[in-house]
Amino acid sequence: MLDDVEALSAGTSPDAEYPVSADLVEWADIIIAMEHIHRKKINQRFGSLLRGKRIIVLGIPDNYDYMDTKLIAILKQKVPPHLKIPIART
């Protein structure tokens, strides 16, 4: 958990448990995608809502299960630099 950071997760697939929506895009200051295809899908669906938004692609294959400890470790390394947050050492 990071102080002063609110985050939500959503999928770009139509059958995602929590699909990305216009409301989520409008709510977000920064959008972080795991793969370039996710960015492309977000751009295609919500292009007009993305003005002034940063979309960051982390280059992480989308083949992890929800809350996979390996994915969490990767995210802890890759996300903070984009948010200007120091990396927590564990």
Side-chain angles (χ1 to χ4, degrees):
M1 204 55 125
L2 300 171
D3 293 337
D4 300 326
V5 175
E6 291 183 55
L8 295 171
S9 176
T12 57
S13 174
D15 63 344
E17 187 170 346
Y18 300 103
V20 67
S21 67
D23 287 343
L24 287 177
V25 170
E26 288 176 341
W27 173 81
D29 294 323
I30 300 171
I31 298 168
I32 298 175
M34 289 177 61
E35 296 184 284
H36 288 282
I37 189 68
H38 299 144
R39 179 187 185 131
K40 182 178 179 179
K41 289 178 180 183
I42 293 166
N43 276 319
Q44 288 173 339
R45 288 190 57 205
F46 305 105
S48 64
L49 299 176
L50 295 169
R51 286 185 177 84
K53 306 270 183 186
R54 282 180 33 208
I55 302 178
I56 297 162
V57 178
L58 298 176
I60 301 171
D62 190 13
N63 58 3
Y64 292 90
D65 290 328
Y66 180 72
M67 298 302 288
D68 184 304
T69 55
K70 290 178 185 175
L71 174 60
I72 292 169
I74 293 167
L75 291 171
K76 283 182 178 181
Q77 290 296 310
K78 289 196 169 214
V79 172
H82 297 287
L83 303 178
K84 311 278 191 281
I85 296 171
I87 297 172
R89 302 287 179 207
T90 56

